[in-house]
């Protein structure tokens, strides 16, 4: 934390000479150019170089996975990159009995997807908004958060994270959603829903009630995790990526009690989102960020995947999307991107991004 403390001290000195300076903010927020999170994954080799690359690309926060976070943290501090533990609810072996369940029809969709070995899987969006007329599910199973065992498991996981990595900047939540993008159909979820439906059936259809129940409990679970994280470490920052999509309400993220809510404004795969949609979503993500929680900040998320053997969003396409997002962001310079691989391969891409996003 040395660098952050140093910057904090410097900021205090600067504040002392400025009569109008009334608030104290962290070094990360003090950067005039915003909050920018790269979903970086595991970083095991060339750590100093990679942290510098992350910083040179304009990012000041990184969501990372792996067991070496304590090694990464000092390099993060050196390059002013906050280290976030990448937290998800993909079931480990010993929790598989608490995985979400889907209908026979949804399981059939999953089987077809799994069997489809073509690169684009017939337009599959991998957890993003499906193409019009397409029914999709997430390939990865997810834990059912209506089960108390899942909530307990997640809390124990968070206990272990803060015990092992006490110096992390915060937690980056991911995959908090439904495998079928709508609801869970396990016994526990069904029983809870039936109870809920009894209370609301006089004023809404069963279908509308299921949507409402599923959204409310999804939000409740995420917010319970946030409350628990803040209890464990009050100064910890919480970021989230709203993923997989919740089809009845894709931009529900402002209901989440987090510091940085990354919501997709441009997805990874073809057909790339049109400028009108990028603009509309960016305006919504930022403009409605504080509707439920005054401390929340809406961060536009852009998916960037460049696999020479498969999906490949060109640099040109990416910078066009960025330009639209920037215009719709007004003076704000927040951004979240997954993945880091294109920047690891091509330093010029990061240099250009840093110039584009900061200017
Ligand atoms: Zn369930």
């Amino acid at each position: 934390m040395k660098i952050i403390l140093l910057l904090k001290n410097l900021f205090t000195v600067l504040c002392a000479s400025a009569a109008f300076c009334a608030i104290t903010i962290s070094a990360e927020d003090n950067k005039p150019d915003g909050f920018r999170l790269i979903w970086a994954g595991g970083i095991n080799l060339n750590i100093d170089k990679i942290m510098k690359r992350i910083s040179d690309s304009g990012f000041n926060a990184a969501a990372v996975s792996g067991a070496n976070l304590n090694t990464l943290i000092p390099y993060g501090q050196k390059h002013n990159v906050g280290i976030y533990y990448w937290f998800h609810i993909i079931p480990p072996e010993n929790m598989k009995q608490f995985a979400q369940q889907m209908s026979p029809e949804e399981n059939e969709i999953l089987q077809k997807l799994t069997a489809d070995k073509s690169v684009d899987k017939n337009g599959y969006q991998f957890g993003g908004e499906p193409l019009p007329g397409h029914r999709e599910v997430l390939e990865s199973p997810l834990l059912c958060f209506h089960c108390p065992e899942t909530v307990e498991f997640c809390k124990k996981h968070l206990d272990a994270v803060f015990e092992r990595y006490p110096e992390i900047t915060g937690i980056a939540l991911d995959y908090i959603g439904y495998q079928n993008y709508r609801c869970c159909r396990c016994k526990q979820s069904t029983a809870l829903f039936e109870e809920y439906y009894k209370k609301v059936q006089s004023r809404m259809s069963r279908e509308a009630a299921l949507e409402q129940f599923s959204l409310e409990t999804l939000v409740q679970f995420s917010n319970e995790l946030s409350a628990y994280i803040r209890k464990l470490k009050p100064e910890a920052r919480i970021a989230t990526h709203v993923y997989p999509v919740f089809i009845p309400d894709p931009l529900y993220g402002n209901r989440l009690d987090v510091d940085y809510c990354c919501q997709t404004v441009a997805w990874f795969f073809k057909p790339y989102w049109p400028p009108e949609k990028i603009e509309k979503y960016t305006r919504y993500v930022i403009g409605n960020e504080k509707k439920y929680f005054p401390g929340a900040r809406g961060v536009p998320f852009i998916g960037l995947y460049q696999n020479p053997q498969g999906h490949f969003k060109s640099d040109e396409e990416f910078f066009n999307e960025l330009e639209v997002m920037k215009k719709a962001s007004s003076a704000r310079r927040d951004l979240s991107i997954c993945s880091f691989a294109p920047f690891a391969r091509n330093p010029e891409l990061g240099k250009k991004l840093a110039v584009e996003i900061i200017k």
Side-chain angles (χ1 to χ4, degrees):
M1 302 301 278
K2 269 185 207 154
I3 288 185
I4 289 180
L5 283 173
L6 266 175
L7 285 172
K8 267 189 178 167
N9 289 341
L10 178 64
F11 186 63
T12 310
V13 171
L14 289 171
C15 280
S17 62
F20 53 85
C21 188
I23 51 164
T24 307
I25 49 179
S26 73
E28 195 175 288
D29 271 359
N30 190 27
K31 291 192 79 161
D33 47 5
F35 172 80
R36 288 187 295 278
L37 172 68
I38 181 79
W39 298 79
I43 303 171
N44 297 301
L45 299 168
N46 303 319
I47 295 170
D48 191 29
K49 200 176 146 194
I50 288 174
M51 282 298 165
K52 185 173 185 309
R53 178 75 57 85
I54 287 174
S55 178
D56 287 349
S57 305
F59 299 104
N60 52 20
V64 296
S65 47
N68 65 337
L69 266 67
N70 287 334
T71 313
L72 300 180
I73 289 165
Y75 292 102
Q77 289 166 349
K78 179 179 169 189
H79 297 291
N80 202 23
V81 174
I83 301 294
Y84 287 68
Y85 179 90
W86 193 332
F87 184 97
H88 61 71
I89 57 162
I90 297 170
E93 202 54 45
N94 63 342
M95 285 293 288
K96 287 215 160 133
Q97 70 268 39
F98 301 108
Q100 293 176 16
Q101 286 179 29
M102 303 194 291
S103 69
E105 192 198 354
E106 288 159 352
N107 279 320
E108 206 176 296
I109 296 171
L110 177 62
Q111 279 166 13
K112 276 189 189 154
L113 274 173
T114 314
D116 187 344
K117 300 297 174 200
S118 67
V119 169
D120 86 328
K121 291 183 185 274
N122 191 31
Y124 180 51
Q125 295 295 305
F126 296 87
E129 290 180 23
L131 299 180
H134 284 224
R135 293 253 348 244
E136 295 185 357
V137 299
L138 194 68
E139 280 189 291
S140 165
L142 297 172
L143 284 170
C144 171
F145 40 83
H146 298 140
C147 297
E149 290 84 353
T150 294
V151 179
E152 204 46 40
F153 170 79
C154 288
K155 288 181 176 174
K156 284 204 175 119
H157 186 166
L158 289 165
D159 287 341
V161 169
F162 283 106
E163 201 172 303
R164 287 177 72 184
Y165 316 117
E167 295 293 308
I168 50 170
T169 303
I171 303 288
L173 302 169
D174 199 8
Y175 286 87
I176 312 288
Y178 295 103
Q179 189 181 4
N180 63 5
Y181 310 159
R182 292 177 182 281
C183 64
C184 176
R185 303 187 199 274
C186 80
K187 260 189 181 173
Q188 168 77 1
S189 302
T190 307
L192 286 177
F193 170 64
E194 292 302 338
E195 230 171 83
Y196 182 92
Y197 184 50
K198 272 185 217 153
K199 289 182 211 152
V200 298
Q201 61 182 344
S202 61
R203 55 179 195 276
M204 65 176 76
S205 69
R206 195 176 169 82
E207 200 178 302
L210 183 59
E211 281 181 6
Q212 190 171 291
F213 165 80
S214 301
L215 177 59
E216 280 177 11
T217 50
L218 167 60
V219 167
Q220 196 183 320
F221 170 65
S222 182
N223 289 350
E224 192 174 347
L225 293 184
S226 291
Y228 193 72
I229 291 165
R230 292 192 175 117
K231 197 177 116 194
L232 288 176
K233 190 178 175 186
E235 70 274 29
R237 297 306 176 92
I238 306 164
T240 195
H241 178 214
V242 173
Y243 174 87
V245 63
F246 181 68
I247 286 177
D249 185 358
L251 291 173
Y252 72 87
N254 57 358
R255 295 166 185 261
L256 304 176
D257 185 9
V258 295
D259 299 294
Y260 306 111
C261 183
C262 309
Q263 301 212 71
T264 302
V265 302
W267 195 236
F268 292 91
F269 309 113
K270 282 182 181 168
Y272 300 125
W273 289 12
E276 302 75 39
K277 184 169 179 173
I278 297 173
E279 184 185 340
K280 185 176 151 197
Y281 274 42
T282 303
R283 285 189 195 283
Y284 187 88
V285 166
I286 295 175
N288 293 277
E289 62 185 1
K290 298 192 192 305
K291 189 170 170 190
Y292 299 90
F293 294 98
R297 187 154 155 168
V299 178
F301 173 98
I302 296 181
L304 178 63
Y305 189 66
Q306 296 187 329
N307 177 358
Q309 273 81 48
H311 291 283
F312 194 98
K313 186 186 276 184
S314 70
D315 293 359
E316 191 190 357
E317 183 72 39
F318 168 64
F319 283 112
N320 286 343
E321 292 175 345
L322 189 80
E323 195 54 35
V324 177
M325 185 220 86
K326 260 175 63 183
K327 276 190 186 147
S329 297
S330 191
R332 189 73 74 81
R333 286 293 174 263
D334 289 356
L335 174 66
S336 178
I337 292 181
C338 186
S339 72
F340 178 63
F343 302 96
R345 261 196 312 272
N346 177 9
E348 296 310 313
L349 181 73
K351 276 184 204 162
K352 190 172 174 199
L353 172 64
V355 170
E356 289 294 322
I357 193 70
I358 292 167
K359 81 176 179 193

